[in-house]
Amino acid sequence: MRTMLLVVAAIATGLAFASAQGQPVPPPAVTARPSASGSGNVHILPVQKSVYMIVTPAGNVTAQIGNDGVLLVDTGTAAVAPEIFAAVRTLTDKPIHTIVNTHLHTDHTGGNAAMVKLGGGGPQPVRVMAHENTFNRMMDAAVAANSNTPSAAMPMNTYFTPTRDFFLNGEAIILHHVPAAHTDGDTLVYFRGSDVVSVGDVFSPELYPVIDLENGGSVNGVIAALNRVLEITVPAKYQEGGTYVIPGHGRVCDEAEVVEYRDMVTIVRDRIADLIKKGQSLQQVKAARPSRDYDGDYGAQSGSSSPDAFVEAVYKSLTRKP
């Protein structure tokens, strides 16, 4: 009994020392559950070490929790932002320290203003980060819509280099810009200590990729982005586990699932490129159904991830002039 008490005391002393030194203390064990308030459509899923995935009807939000505060990757829509914040509050009472927007679309940035307002209170204002292409696109959209978007909700802390890194909550965080992918401003967020990468909409395991041509997206850029994810990820055993991947929409994945997805996009791209070389028009390519053996796994019934829309986006991506 005396030995057991000494062991418990040593563990407690070690945790207290780690906290005092600013090192990450393991987060409490949490099972997937609805948020504390709201519609019950927002759920928390612990992913690995300090990183959680907050699942919403609009997509996934990544949260890193620690002594320095909260880092969020994307903020969902304005409508669901209060529920996301309520979910964060079930994990910690620390203020929001940083928001990283993976790209400009409002299902990932619409909650910025609410999060800055609700989650402030720290020694410094909430830092909103993104690639400068995303900032420029968001500014253009606000001007076109004559929107009075608060400056605090815009990603004023931008980067333009291929990577940017910083240290928060006891671990290194590396931002990777993947150009001309889903858009021209996509950012992958790698939590090196937790071994988790949040990838936004360059990867959605249950849907064909949305290639936003108007905002600088391309099929070759999507494939390059997926290959960049595969350079970051490392499987643990039998190609399972290891580095976990949080997509913009859908389930948590590992490297093997990204490989399958990358191969699918590459095969469909190559089929369409071959048809283009044979001089076939867009309608002829659609009639050939080059994605037909994948439609059951990735094709939506309608919208931008439907087989027809995906094939059209790939065709236009391959045939448009630089």
Side-chain angles (χ1 to χ4, degrees):
M1 177 63 72
R2 182 173 181 272
T3 301
M4 184 178 297
L5 290 173
L6 288 172
V7 170
V8 170
I11 292 173
T13 302
L15 288 175
F17 178 77
S19 178
Q21 296 299 312
Q23 298 300 313
V25 176
V30 182
T31 56
R33 63 176 187 271
S35 62
S37 63
S39 65
N41 290 325
V42 173
H43 298 264
I44 304 167
L45 180 71
V47 179
Q48 199 153 247
K49 296 185 179 178
S50 299
V51 177
Y52 298 81
M53 184 172 80
I54 301 174
V55 184
T56 84
N60 299 325
V61 172
T62 301
Q64 183 225 28
I65 307 294
N67 293 329
D68 297 325
V70 180
L71 183 148
L72 295 178
V73 181
D74 294 328
T75 56
T77 62
V80 80
E83 287 190 69
I84 295 172
F85 184 73
V88 170
R89 278 291 167 262
T90 67
L91 299 172
T92 180
D93 60 359
K94 295 282 188 179
I96 293 177
H97 184 287
T98 297
I99 294 169
V100 180
N101 290 141
T102 59
H103 62 288
L104 78 153
H105 292 151
T106 55
D107 57 337
H108 294 260
T109 63
N112 280 13
M115 289 301 175
V116 168
K117 182 178 180 180
L118 293 169
Q124 297 177 339
V126 179
R127 176 176 61 173
V128 184
M129 305 178 68
H131 189 267
E132 66 171 5
N133 289 352
T134 292
F135 168 77
N136 291 334
R137 299 278 186 185
M138 290 176 68
M139 286 296 293
D140 290 345
V143 171
N146 195 24
S147 171
N148 295 318
T149 303
S151 60
M154 298 293 289
M156 305 303 289
N157 193 307
T158 61
Y159 74 103
F160 58 90
T161 52
T163 61
R164 177 174 175 177
D165 55 55
F166 57 95
F167 199 84
L168 189 71
N169 291 326
E171 68 178 322
I173 299 165
I174 307 170
L175 310 181
H176 298 267
H177 174 229
V178 283
H182 172 58
T183 69
D184 61 6
D186 294 293
T187 292
L188 311 177
V189 186
Y190 178 42
F191 301 93
R192 194 165 71 182
S194 297
D195 202 17
V196 177
V197 57
S198 182
V199 301
D201 280 357
V202 300
F203 170 60
S204 297
E206 297 160 7
L207 294 169
Y208 283 128
V210 175
I211 303 170
D212 187 348
L213 299 172
E214 292 185 1
N215 286 302
S218 71
V219 65
N220 288 329
V222 168
I223 294 170
L226 294 169
N227 283 327
R228 189 75 188 95
V229 174
L230 294 174
E231 290 173 1
I232 296 170
T233 54
V234 179
K237 190 175 183 181
Y238 305 127
Q239 297 302 310
E240 300 294 337
T243 309
Y244 283 108
V245 178
I246 300 178
H249 304 266
R251 65 186 184 275
V252 174
C253 296
D254 56 21
E255 185 186 69
E257 290 164 295
V258 181
V259 169
E260 290 181 6
Y261 195 84
R262 186 275 317 272
D263 290 350
M264 174 273 295
V265 179
T266 304
I267 288 169
V268 175
R269 186 273 315 267
D270 289 349
R271 289 173 178 172
I272 294 173
D274 185 61
L275 294 172
I276 291 171
K277 287 180 181 179
K278 294 177 180 178
Q280 294 198 6
S281 67
L282 173 58
Q283 294 306 316
Q284 289 173 318
V285 170
K286 286 183 177 181
R289 297 182 59 206
S291 66
R292 59 188 175 277
D293 45 340
Y294 295 110
D295 290 347
D297 293 326
Y298 302 104
Q301 294 296 316
S302 61
S304 300
S305 289
S306 67
D308 194 65
F310 175 53
V311 169
E312 181 171 340
V314 173
Y315 181 94
K316 290 182 176 179
S317 175
L318 294 174
T319 56
R320 69 180 177 180
K321 294 180 179 180

